[in-house]
PDB file of all heavy atoms in Angstrom:
ATOM      1  N   GLN Q  21      -2.891  -3.360  12.773  1.00 83.00           N
ATOM      2  CA  GLN Q  21      -2.987  -2.170  11.936  1.00 83.00           C
ATOM      3  C   GLN Q  21      -1.820  -2.115  10.970  1.00 83.00           C
ATOM      4  O   GLN Q  21      -0.668  -2.204  11.387  1.00 83.00           O
ATOM      5  CB  GLN Q  21      -2.998  -0.913  12.802  1.00 83.00           C
ATOM      6  CG  GLN Q  21      -4.306  -0.654  13.516  1.00 83.00           C
ATOM      7  CD  GLN Q  21      -4.344   0.716  14.154  1.00 83.00           C
ATOM      8  OE1 GLN Q  21      -3.360   1.148  14.741  1.00 83.00           O
ATOM      9  NE2 GLN Q  21      -5.464   1.395  14.043  1.00 83.00           N
ATOM     10  N   LEU Q  22      -2.141  -1.978   9.702  1.00 92.00           N
ATOM     11  CA  LEU Q  22      -1.139  -1.741   8.678  1.00 92.00           C
ATOM     12  C   LEU Q  22      -1.312  -0.304   8.214  1.00 92.00           C
ATOM     13  O   LEU Q  22      -2.429   0.127   7.913  1.00 92.00           O
ATOM     14  CB  LEU Q  22      -1.334  -2.695   7.498  1.00 92.00           C
ATOM     15  CG  LEU Q  22      -1.356  -4.189   7.818  1.00 92.00           C
ATOM     16  CD1 LEU Q  22      -1.483  -5.004   6.541  1.00 92.00           C
ATOM     17  CD2 LEU Q  22      -0.118  -4.597   8.585  1.00 92.00           C
ATOM     18  N   VAL Q  23      -0.213   0.421   8.162  1.00 94.00           N
ATOM     19  CA  VAL Q  23      -0.282   1.841   7.848  1.00 94.00           C
ATOM     20  C   VAL Q  23       0.559   2.133   6.625  1.00 94.00           C
ATOM     21  O   VAL Q  23       1.778   1.903   6.632  1.00 94.00           O
ATOM     22  CB  VAL Q  23       0.207   2.685   9.035  1.00 94.00           C
ATOM     23  CG1 VAL Q  23       0.103   4.167   8.699  1.00 94.00           C
ATOM     24  CG2 VAL Q  23      -0.606   2.362  10.292  1.00 94.00           C
ATOM     25  N   GLU Q  24      -0.117   2.635   5.591  1.00 97.00           N
ATOM     26  CA  GLU Q  24       0.569   2.996   4.353  1.00 97.00           C
ATOM     27  C   GLU Q  24       0.911   4.479   4.350  1.00 97.00           C
ATOM     28  O   GLU Q  24       0.231   5.287   4.975  1.00 97.00           O
ATOM     29  CB  GLU Q  24      -0.312   2.711   3.123  1.00 97.00           C
ATOM     30  CG  GLU Q  24      -0.781   1.288   2.978  1.00 97.00           C
ATOM     31  CD  GLU Q  24      -2.119   1.022   3.617  1.00 97.00           C
ATOM     32  OE1 GLU Q  24      -2.547   1.836   4.475  1.00 97.00           O
ATOM     33  OE2 GLU Q  24      -2.761   0.020   3.279  1.00 97.00           O
ATOM     34  N   SER Q  25       1.956   4.809   3.609  1.00 97.00           N
ATOM     35  CA  SER Q  25       2.345   6.203   3.425  1.00 97.00           C
ATOM     36  C   SER Q  25       3.042   6.344   2.088  1.00 97.00           C
ATOM     37  O   SER Q  25       3.409   5.340   1.461  1.00 97.00           O
ATOM     38  CB  SER Q  25       3.266   6.665   4.560  1.00 97.00           C
ATOM     39  OG  SER Q  25       4.449   5.884   4.583  1.00 97.00           O
ATOM     40  N   GLY Q  26       3.197   7.587   1.657  1.00 98.00           N
ATOM     41  CA  GLY Q  26       3.946   7.855   0.437  1.00 98.00           C
ATOM     42  C   GLY Q  26       3.118   8.208  -0.777  1.00 98.00           C
ATOM     43  O   GLY Q  26       3.668   8.518  -1.833  1.00 98.00           O
ATOM     44  N   GLY Q  27       1.799   8.145  -0.647  1.00 97.00           N
ATOM     45  CA  GLY Q  27       0.959   8.507  -1.788  1.00 97.00           C
ATOM     46  C   GLY Q  27       0.991  10.000  -2.050  1.00 97.00           C
ATOM     47  O   GLY Q  27       1.559  10.773  -1.287  1.00 97.00           O
ATOM     48  N   GLY Q  28       0.370  10.391  -3.156  1.00 98.00           N
ATOM     49  CA  GLY Q  28       0.322  11.809  -3.493  1.00 98.00           C
ATOM     50  C   GLY Q  28      -0.056  12.027  -4.937  1.00 98.00           C
ATOM     51  O   GLY Q  28      -0.528  11.107  -5.620  1.00 98.00           O
ATOM     52  N   LEU Q  29       0.149  13.264  -5.366  1.00 98.00           N
ATOM     53  CA  LEU Q  29      -0.157  13.667  -6.744  1.00 98.00           C
ATOM     54  C   LEU Q  29       1.150  13.769  -7.518  1.00 98.00           C
ATOM     55  O   LEU Q  29       2.104  14.412  -7.061  1.00 98.00           O
ATOM     56  CB  LEU Q  29      -0.879  15.011  -6.729  1.00 98.00           C
ATOM     57  CG  LEU Q  29      -1.141  15.676  -8.083  1.00 98.00           C
ATOM     58  CD1 LEU Q  29      -2.084  14.818  -8.915  1.00 98.00           C
ATOM     59  CD2 LEU Q  29      -1.705  17.077  -7.877  1.00 98.00           C
ATOM     60  N   VAL Q  30       1.183  13.153  -8.685  1.00 98.00           N
ATOM     61  CA  VAL Q  30       2.386  13.162  -9.505  1.00 98.00           C
ATOM     62  C   VAL Q  30       1.979  13.238 -10.972  1.00 98.00           C
ATOM     63  O   VAL Q  30       0.895  12.771 -11.347  1.00 98.00           O
ATOM     64  CB  VAL Q  30       3.244  11.897  -9.224  1.00 98.00           C
ATOM     65  CG1 VAL Q  30       2.499  10.643  -9.628  1.00 98.00           C
ATOM     66  CG2 VAL Q  30       4.598  11.979  -9.892  1.00 98.00           C
ATOM     67  N   GLN Q  31       2.834  13.814 -11.782  1.00 98.00           N
ATOM     68  CA  GLN Q  31       2.556  13.882 -13.215  1.00 98.00           C
ATOM     69  C   GLN Q  31       2.884  12.550 -13.885  1.00 98.00           C
ATOM     70  O   GLN Q  31       3.717  11.784 -13.396  1.00 98.00           O
ATOM     71  CB  GLN Q  31       3.374  14.998 -13.855  1.00 98.00           C
ATOM     72  CG  GLN Q  31       2.900  16.395 -13.506  1.00 98.00           C
ATOM     73  CD  GLN Q  31       3.617  17.458 -14.312  1.00 98.00           C
ATOM     74  OE1 GLN Q  31       4.766  17.275 -14.739  1.00 98.00           O
ATOM     75  NE2 GLN Q  31       2.948  18.586 -14.535  1.00 98.00           N
ATOM     76  N   ALA Q  32       2.241  12.300 -14.985  1.00 98.00           N
ATOM     77  CA  ALA Q  32       2.532  11.092 -15.753  1.00 98.00           C
ATOM     78  C   ALA Q  32       4.023  11.029 -16.062  1.00 98.00           C
ATOM     79  O   ALA Q  32       4.645  12.041 -16.406  1.00 98.00           O
ATOM     80  CB  ALA Q  32       1.725  11.083 -17.036  1.00 98.00           C
ATOM     81  N   GLY Q  33       4.578   9.831 -15.917  1.00 98.00           N
ATOM     82  CA  GLY Q  33       6.003   9.634 -16.105  1.00 98.00           C
ATOM     83  C   GLY Q  33       6.818   9.775 -14.831  1.00 98.00           C
ATOM     84  O   GLY Q  33       8.003   9.424 -14.821  1.00 98.00           O
ATOM     85  N   GLY Q  34       6.184  10.258 -13.776  1.00 98.00           N
ATOM     86  CA  GLY Q  34       6.878  10.442 -12.517  1.00 98.00           C
ATOM     87  C   GLY Q  34       6.934   9.178 -11.685  1.00 98.00           C
ATOM     88  O   GLY Q  34       6.528   8.096 -12.122  1.00 98.00           O
ATOM     89  N   SER Q  35       7.462   9.333 -10.469  1.00 98.00           N
ATOM     90  CA  SER Q  35       7.669   8.198  -9.575  1.00 98.00           C
ATOM     91  C   SER Q  35       7.142   8.505  -8.185  1.00 98.00           C
ATOM     92  O   SER Q  35       7.109   9.670  -7.761  1.00 98.00           O
ATOM     93  CB  SER Q  35       9.162   7.859  -9.472  1.00 98.00           C
ATOM     94  OG  SER Q  35       9.693   7.492 -10.732  1.00 98.00           O
ATOM     95  N   LEU Q  36       6.764   7.460  -7.491  1.00 98.00           N
ATOM     96  CA  LEU Q  36       6.413   7.523  -6.080  1.00 98.00           C
ATOM     97  C   LEU Q  36       6.895   6.249  -5.411  1.00 98.00           C
ATOM     98  O   LEU Q  36       6.990   5.195  -6.059  1.00 98.00           O
ATOM     99  CB  LEU Q  36       4.892   7.644  -5.883  1.00 98.00           C
ATOM    100  CG  LEU Q  36       4.218   8.990  -6.132  1.00 98.00           C
ATOM    101  CD1 LEU Q  36       2.703   8.834  -6.017  1.00 98.00           C
ATOM    102  CD2 LEU Q  36       4.717  10.048  -5.156  1.00 98.00           C
ATOM    103  N   ARG Q  37       7.149   6.346  -4.119  1.00 98.00           N
ATOM    104  CA  ARG Q  37       7.527   5.169  -3.330  1.00 98.00           C
ATOM    105  C   ARG Q  37       6.566   5.052  -2.161  1.00 98.00           C
ATOM    106  O   ARG Q  37       6.513   5.937  -1.308  1.00 98.00           O
ATOM    107  CB  ARG Q  37       8.948   5.293  -2.810  1.00 98.00           C
ATOM    108  CG  ARG Q  37       9.479   4.018  -2.164  1.00 98.00           C
ATOM    109  CD  ARG Q  37      10.740   4.302  -1.394  1.00 98.00           C
ATOM    110  NE  ARG Q  37      11.466   3.090  -1.066  1.00 98.00           N
ATOM    111  CZ  ARG Q  37      12.356   3.031  -0.069  1.00 98.00           C
ATOM    112  NH1 ARG Q  37      12.606   4.091   0.663  1.00 98.00           N
ATOM    113  NH2 ARG Q  37      13.009   1.894   0.160  1.00 98.00           N
ATOM    114  N   LEU Q  38       5.813   3.980  -2.148  1.00 98.00           N
ATOM    115  CA  LEU Q  38       4.894   3.718  -1.058  1.00 98.00           C
ATOM    116  C   LEU Q  38       5.561   2.853   0.000  1.00 98.00           C
ATOM    117  O   LEU Q  38       6.378   1.985  -0.325  1.00 98.00           O
ATOM    118  CB  LEU Q  38       3.642   3.012  -1.575  1.00 98.00           C
ATOM    119  CG  LEU Q  38       2.878   3.682  -2.718  1.00 98.00           C
ATOM    120  CD1 LEU Q  38       1.627   2.883  -3.039  1.00 98.00           C
ATOM    121  CD2 LEU Q  38       2.546   5.121  -2.394  1.00 98.00           C
ATOM    122  N   SER Q  39       5.172   3.083   1.247  1.00 98.00           N
ATOM    123  CA  SER Q  39       5.663   2.282   2.358  1.00 98.00           C
ATOM    124  C   SER Q  39       4.483   1.753   3.153  1.00 98.00           C
ATOM    125  O   SER Q  39       3.406   2.356   3.174  1.00 98.00           O
ATOM    126  CB  SER Q  39       6.541   3.129   3.290  1.00 98.00           C
ATOM    127  OG  SER Q  39       7.630   3.675   2.600  1.00 98.00           O
ATOM    128  N   CYS Q  40       4.699   0.618   3.803  1.00 97.00           N
ATOM    129  CA  CYS Q  40       3.669   0.045   4.667  1.00 97.00           C
ATOM    130  C   CYS Q  40       4.347  -0.600   5.859  1.00 97.00           C
ATOM    131  O   CYS Q  40       5.286  -1.390   5.694  1.00 97.00           O
ATOM    132  CB  CYS Q  40       2.850  -0.984   3.904  1.00 97.00           C
ATOM    133  SG  CYS Q  40       1.670  -1.900   4.921  1.00 97.00           S
ATOM    134  N   ALA Q  41       3.877  -0.260   7.051  1.00 94.00           N
ATOM    135  CA  ALA Q  41       4.417  -0.828   8.267  1.00 94.00           C
ATOM    136  C   ALA Q  41       3.269  -1.310   9.145  1.00 94.00           C
ATOM    137  O   ALA Q  41       2.161  -0.785   9.085  1.00 94.00           O
ATOM    138  CB  ALA Q  41       5.251   0.211   9.006  1.00 94.00           C
ATOM    139  N   ALA Q  42       3.551  -2.316   9.952  1.00 87.00           N
ATOM    140  CA  ALA Q  42       2.558  -2.823  10.891  1.00 87.00           C
ATOM    141  C   ALA Q  42       2.785  -2.181  12.242  1.00 87.00           C
ATOM    142  O   ALA Q  42       3.923  -2.100  12.712  1.00 87.00           O
ATOM    143  CB  ALA Q  42       2.656  -4.337  11.010  1.00 87.00           C
ATOM    144  N   SER Q  43       1.717  -1.715  12.839  1.00 80.00           N
ATOM    145  CA  SER Q  43       1.867  -1.000  14.107  1.00 80.00           C
ATOM    146  C   SER Q  43       1.716  -1.897  15.325  1.00 80.00           C
ATOM    147  O   SER Q  43       2.180  -1.555  16.411  1.00 80.00           O
ATOM    148  CB  SER Q  43       0.836   0.127  14.181  1.00 80.00           C
ATOM    149  OG  SER Q  43      -0.478  -0.417  14.163  1.00 80.00           O
ATOM    150  N   THR Q  44       1.070  -3.050  15.170  1.00 77.00           N
ATOM    151  CA  THR Q  44       0.783  -3.856  16.350  1.00 77.00           C
ATOM    152  C   THR Q  44       1.289  -5.287  16.261  1.00 77.00           C
ATOM    153  O   THR Q  44       1.053  -6.078  17.153  1.00 77.00           O
ATOM    154  CB  THR Q  44      -0.741  -3.914  16.601  1.00 77.00           C
ATOM    155  OG1 THR Q  44      -1.376  -4.427  15.425  1.00 77.00           O
ATOM    156  CG2 THR Q  44      -1.286  -2.540  16.911  1.00 77.00           C
ATOM    157  N   ARG Q  45       1.929  -5.636  15.163  1.00 79.00           N
ATOM    158  CA  ARG Q  45       2.514  -6.963  15.049  1.00 79.00           C
ATOM    159  C   ARG Q  45       3.673  -6.886  14.086  1.00 79.00           C
ATOM    160  O   ARG Q  45       3.833  -5.897  13.372  1.00 79.00           O
ATOM    161  CB  ARG Q  45       1.498  -7.999  14.547  1.00 79.00           C
ATOM    162  CG  ARG Q  45       1.100  -7.822  13.100  1.00 79.00           C
ATOM    163  CD  ARG Q  45       0.017  -8.831  12.706  1.00 79.00           C
ATOM    164  NE  ARG Q  45       0.459 -10.194  12.716  1.00 79.00           N
ATOM    165  CZ  ARG Q  45       1.090 -10.795  11.713  1.00 79.00           C
ATOM    166  NH1 ARG Q  45       1.373 -10.114  10.616  1.00 79.00           N
ATOM    167  NH2 ARG Q  45       1.439 -12.075  11.798  1.00 79.00           N
ATOM    168  N   THR Q  46       4.494  -7.912  14.044  1.00 84.00           N
ATOM    169  CA  THR Q  46       5.571  -7.945  13.066  1.00 84.00           C
ATOM    170  C   THR Q  46       5.094  -8.715  11.844  1.00 84.00           C
ATOM    171  O   THR Q  46       4.111  -9.445  11.883  1.00 84.00           O
ATOM    172  CB  THR Q  46       6.829  -8.619  13.629  1.00 84.00           C
ATOM    173  OG1 THR Q  46       6.555 -10.015  13.817  1.00 84.00           O
ATOM    174  CG2 THR Q  46       7.229  -7.995  14.953  1.00 84.00           C
ATOM    175  N   PHE Q  47       5.822  -8.560  10.761  1.00 86.00           N
ATOM    176  CA  PHE Q  47       5.524  -9.274   9.528  1.00 86.00           C
ATOM    177  C   PHE Q  47       6.239 -10.617   9.464  1.00 86.00           C
ATOM    178  O   PHE Q  47       6.330 -11.215   8.397  1.00 86.00           O
ATOM    179  CB  PHE Q  47       5.934  -8.431   8.323  1.00 86.00           C
ATOM    180  CG  PHE Q  47       5.024  -7.267   8.044  1.00 86.00           C
ATOM    181  CD1 PHE Q  47       5.556  -6.069   7.577  1.00 86.00           C
ATOM    182  CD2 PHE Q  47       3.664  -7.363   8.215  1.00 86.00           C
ATOM    183  CE1 PHE Q  47       4.730  -4.988   7.298  1.00 86.00           C
ATOM    184  CE2 PHE Q  47       2.823  -6.289   7.944  1.00 86.00           C
ATOM    185  CZ  PHE Q  47       3.367  -5.097   7.480  1.00 86.00           C
ATOM    186  N   THR Q  48       6.707 -11.103  10.600  1.00 87.00           N
ATOM    187  CA  THR Q  48       7.475 -12.342  10.608  1.00 87.00           C
ATOM    188  C   THR Q  48       6.708 -13.481   9.959  1.00 87.00           C
ATOM    189  O   THR Q  48       5.626 -13.850  10.397  1.00 87.00           O
ATOM    190  CB  THR Q  48       7.850 -12.740  12.046  1.00 87.00           C
ATOM    191  OG1 THR Q  48       8.593 -11.675  12.642  1.00 87.00           O
ATOM    192  CG2 THR Q  48       8.696 -14.003  12.050  1.00 87.00           C
ATOM    193  N   GLY Q  49       7.280 -14.025   8.886  1.00 88.00           N
ATOM    194  CA  GLY Q  49       6.663 -15.156   8.196  1.00 88.00           C
ATOM    195  C   GLY Q  49       5.598 -14.797   7.186  1.00 88.00           C
ATOM    196  O   GLY Q  49       5.147 -15.658   6.433  1.00 88.00           O
ATOM    197  N   ASP Q  50       5.178 -13.534   7.151  1.00 93.00           N
ATOM    198  CA  ASP Q  50       4.072 -13.137   6.275  1.00 93.00           C
ATOM    199  C   ASP Q  50       4.550 -12.873   4.853  1.00 93.00           C
ATOM    200  O   ASP Q  50       5.600 -12.280   4.648  1.00 93.00           O
ATOM    201  CB  ASP Q  50       3.422 -11.851   6.767  1.00 93.00           C
ATOM    202  CG  ASP Q  50       2.814 -11.971   8.143  1.00 93.00           C
ATOM    203  OD1 ASP Q  50       2.685 -13.107   8.640  1.00 93.00           O
ATOM    204  OD2 ASP Q  50       2.481 -10.916   8.719  1.00 93.00           O
ATOM    205  N   ALA Q  51       3.703 -13.256   3.898  1.00 96.00           N
ATOM    206  CA  ALA Q  51       3.836 -12.688   2.561  1.00 96.00           C
ATOM    207  C   ALA Q  51       3.105 -11.346   2.588  1.00 96.00           C
ATOM    208  O   ALA Q  51       2.127 -11.177   3.317  1.00 96.00           O
ATOM    209  CB  ALA Q  51       3.221 -13.602   1.514  1.00 96.00           C
ATOM    210  N   LEU Q  52       3.586 -10.405   1.800  1.00 97.00           N
ATOM    211  CA  LEU Q  52       2.998  -9.064   1.784  1.00 97.00           C
ATOM    212  C   LEU Q  52       2.621  -8.684   0.367  1.00 97.00           C
ATOM    213  O   LEU Q  52       3.334  -9.026  -0.591  1.00 97.00           O
ATOM    214  CB  LEU Q  52       3.998  -8.061   2.349  1.00 97.00           C
ATOM    215  CG  LEU Q  52       4.409  -8.305   3.796  1.00 97.00           C
ATOM    216  CD1 LEU Q  52       5.559  -7.384   4.172  1.00 97.00           C
ATOM    217  CD2 LEU Q  52       3.236  -8.109   4.736  1.00 97.00           C
ATOM    218  N   GLY Q  53       1.530  -7.979   0.255  1.00 98.00           N
ATOM    219  CA  GLY Q  53       1.064  -7.597  -1.071  1.00 98.00           C
ATOM    220  C   GLY Q  53       0.578  -6.172  -1.117  1.00 98.00           C
ATOM    221  O   GLY Q  53       0.275  -5.564  -0.088  1.00 98.00           O
ATOM    222  N   TRP Q  54       0.531  -5.647  -2.326  1.00 98.00           N
ATOM    223  CA  TRP Q  54      -0.068  -4.347  -2.597  1.00 98.00           C
ATOM    224  C   TRP Q  54      -1.232  -4.563  -3.560  1.00 98.00           C
ATOM    225  O   TRP Q  54      -1.104  -5.302  -4.544  1.00 98.00           O
ATOM    226  CB  TRP Q  54       0.945  -3.399  -3.229  1.00 98.00           C
ATOM    227  CG  TRP Q  54       1.971  -2.863  -2.287  1.00 98.00           C
ATOM    228  CD1 TRP Q  54       3.231  -3.343  -2.069  1.00 98.00           C
ATOM    229  CD2 TRP Q  54       1.825  -1.730  -1.415  1.00 98.00           C
ATOM    230  NE1 TRP Q  54       3.873  -2.585  -1.119  1.00 98.00           N
ATOM    231  CE2 TRP Q  54       3.026  -1.585  -0.709  1.00 98.00           C
ATOM    232  CE3 TRP Q  54       0.790  -0.816  -1.168  1.00 98.00           C
ATOM    233  CZ2 TRP Q  54       3.240  -0.565   0.222  1.00 98.00           C
ATOM    234  CZ3 TRP Q  54       1.001   0.192  -0.243  1.00 98.00           C
ATOM    235  CH2 TRP Q  54       2.210   0.309   0.432  1.00 98.00           C
ATOM    236  N   PHE Q  55      -2.318  -3.907  -3.239  1.00 98.00           N
ATOM    237  CA  PHE Q  55      -3.505  -3.928  -4.074  1.00 98.00           C
ATOM    238  C   PHE Q  55      -3.948  -2.488  -4.304  1.00 98.00           C
ATOM    239  O   PHE Q  55      -3.542  -1.587  -3.570  1.00 98.00           O
ATOM    240  CB  PHE Q  55      -4.632  -4.715  -3.395  1.00 98.00           C
ATOM    241  CG  PHE Q  55      -4.330  -6.173  -3.229  1.00 98.00           C
ATOM    242  CD1 PHE Q  55      -3.474  -6.619  -2.231  1.00 98.00           C
ATOM    243  CD2 PHE Q  55      -4.885  -7.111  -4.079  1.00 98.00           C
ATOM    244  CE1 PHE Q  55      -3.184  -7.973  -2.086  1.00 98.00           C
ATOM    245  CE2 PHE Q  55      -4.614  -8.460  -3.944  1.00 98.00           C
ATOM    246  CZ  PHE Q  55      -3.763  -8.891  -2.938  1.00 98.00           C
ATOM    247  N   ARG Q  56      -4.799  -2.279  -5.308  1.00 98.00           N
ATOM    248  CA  ARG Q  56      -5.295  -0.930  -5.555  1.00 98.00           C
ATOM    249  C   ARG Q  56      -6.746  -0.980  -5.989  1.00 98.00           C
ATOM    250  O   ARG Q  56      -7.222  -1.983  -6.523  1.00 98.00           O
ATOM    251  CB  ARG Q  56      -4.447  -0.226  -6.613  1.00 98.00           C
ATOM    252  CG  ARG Q  56      -4.539  -0.820  -8.012  1.00 98.00           C
ATOM    253  CD  ARG Q  56      -3.537  -0.132  -8.941  1.00 98.00           C
ATOM    254  NE  ARG Q  56      -3.630  -0.642 -10.309  1.00 98.00           N
ATOM    255  CZ  ARG Q  56      -2.786  -0.296 -11.292  1.00 98.00           C
ATOM    256  NH1 ARG Q  56      -1.790   0.567 -11.049  1.00 98.00           N
ATOM    257  NH2 ARG Q  56      -2.951  -0.799 -12.505  1.00 98.00           N
ATOM    258  N   GLN Q  57      -7.421   0.132  -5.738  1.00 98.00           N
ATOM    259  CA  GLN Q  57      -8.815   0.250  -6.136  1.00 98.00           C
ATOM    260  C   GLN Q  57      -9.059   1.648  -6.680  1.00 98.00           C
ATOM    261  O   GLN Q  57      -8.895   2.638  -5.963  1.00 98.00           O
ATOM    262  CB  GLN Q  57      -9.759  -0.044  -4.971  1.00 98.00           C
ATOM    263  CG  GLN Q  57     -11.216  -0.105  -5.377  1.00 98.00           C
ATOM    264  CD  GLN Q  57     -12.094  -0.714  -4.311  1.00 98.00           C
ATOM    265  OE1 GLN Q  57     -11.713  -0.811  -3.140  1.00 98.00           O
ATOM    266  NE2 GLN Q  57     -13.276  -1.158  -4.696  1.00 98.00           N
ATOM    267  N   ALA Q  58      -9.444   1.701  -7.934  1.00 96.00           N
ATOM    268  CA  ALA Q  58      -9.774   2.965  -8.580  1.00 96.00           C
ATOM    269  C   ALA Q  58     -11.271   3.228  -8.420  1.00 96.00           C
ATOM    270  O   ALA Q  58     -12.050   2.289  -8.217  1.00 96.00           O
ATOM    271  CB  ALA Q  58      -9.402   2.905 -10.057  1.00 96.00           C
ATOM    272  N   PRO Q  59     -11.687   4.469  -8.520  1.00 92.00           N
ATOM    273  CA  PRO Q  59     -13.113   4.792  -8.390  1.00 92.00           C
ATOM    274  C   PRO Q  59     -13.967   4.000  -9.376  1.00 92.00           C
ATOM    275  O   PRO Q  59     -13.660   3.933 -10.569  1.00 92.00           O
ATOM    276  CB  PRO Q  59     -13.154   6.292  -8.691  1.00 92.00           C
ATOM    277  CG  PRO Q  59     -11.805   6.792  -8.346  1.00 92.00           C
ATOM    278  CD  PRO Q  59     -10.862   5.674  -8.704  1.00 92.00           C
ATOM    279  N   GLY Q  60     -15.009   3.363  -8.857  1.00 95.00           N
ATOM    280  CA  GLY Q  60     -15.921   2.621  -9.705  1.00 95.00           C
ATOM    281  C   GLY Q  60     -15.419   1.268 -10.168  1.00 95.00           C
ATOM    282  O   GLY Q  60     -16.078   0.593 -10.960  1.00 95.00           O
ATOM    283  N   LYS Q  61     -14.246   0.884  -9.666  1.00 97.00           N
ATOM    284  CA  LYS Q  61     -13.665  -0.404 -10.072  1.00 97.00           C
ATOM    285  C   LYS Q  61     -13.449  -1.285  -8.859  1.00 97.00           C
ATOM    286  O   LYS Q  61     -13.410  -0.827  -7.726  1.00 97.00           O
ATOM    287  CB  LYS Q  61     -12.349  -0.186 -10.811  1.00 97.00           C
ATOM    288  CG  LYS Q  61     -12.497   0.548 -12.141  1.00 97.00           C
ATOM    289  CD  LYS Q  61     -11.189   0.559 -12.895  1.00 97.00           C
ATOM    290  CE  LYS Q  61     -11.352   1.213 -14.260  1.00 97.00           C
ATOM    291  NZ  LYS Q  61     -10.063   1.205 -15.023  1.00 97.00           N
ATOM    292  N   GLU Q  62     -13.271  -2.577  -9.127  1.00 97.00           N
ATOM    293  CA  GLU Q  62     -12.994  -3.511  -8.051  1.00 97.00           C
ATOM    294  C   GLU Q  62     -11.528  -3.434  -7.647  1.00 97.00           C
ATOM    295  O   GLU Q  62     -10.666  -3.019  -8.428  1.00 97.00           O
ATOM    296  CB  GLU Q  62     -13.353  -4.933  -8.488  1.00 97.00           C
ATOM    297  CG  GLU Q  62     -14.848  -5.137  -8.737  1.00 97.00           C
ATOM    298  CD  GLU Q  62     -15.176  -6.588  -9.021  1.00 97.00           C
ATOM    299  OE1 GLU Q  62     -14.253  -7.395  -9.191  1.00 97.00           O
ATOM    300  OE2 GLU Q  62     -16.378  -6.912  -9.080  1.00 97.00           O
ATOM    301  N   ARG Q  63     -11.270  -3.877  -6.438  1.00 97.00           N
ATOM    302  CA  ARG Q  63      -9.890  -3.944  -5.958  1.00 97.00           C
ATOM    303  C   ARG Q  63      -9.127  -4.939  -6.819  1.00 97.00           C
ATOM    304  O   ARG Q  63      -9.635  -6.011  -7.148  1.00 97.00           O
ATOM    305  CB  ARG Q  63      -9.877  -4.387  -4.508  1.00 97.00           C
ATOM    306  CG  ARG Q  63      -8.491  -4.470  -3.893  1.00 97.00           C
ATOM    307  CD  ARG Q  63      -8.580  -4.812  -2.415  1.00 97.00           C
ATOM    308  NE  ARG Q  63      -9.128  -3.695  -1.643  1.00 97.00           N
ATOM    309  CZ  ARG Q  63      -9.305  -3.741  -0.323  1.00 97.00           C
ATOM    310  NH1 ARG Q  63      -9.022  -4.848   0.357  1.00 97.00           N
ATOM    311  NH2 ARG Q  63      -9.785  -2.701   0.310  1.00 97.00           N
TER     312      ARG Q  63
END
């Protein structure tokens, strides 16, 4: 399980910091990535 946090509503020009942690394994040796999917669009 990977669990993300930190999302929310912000005005244009603002900032957010997202976090992601693994609950059942460590990230040892892993490359990590962020992806996004907007409504009606592909990831």
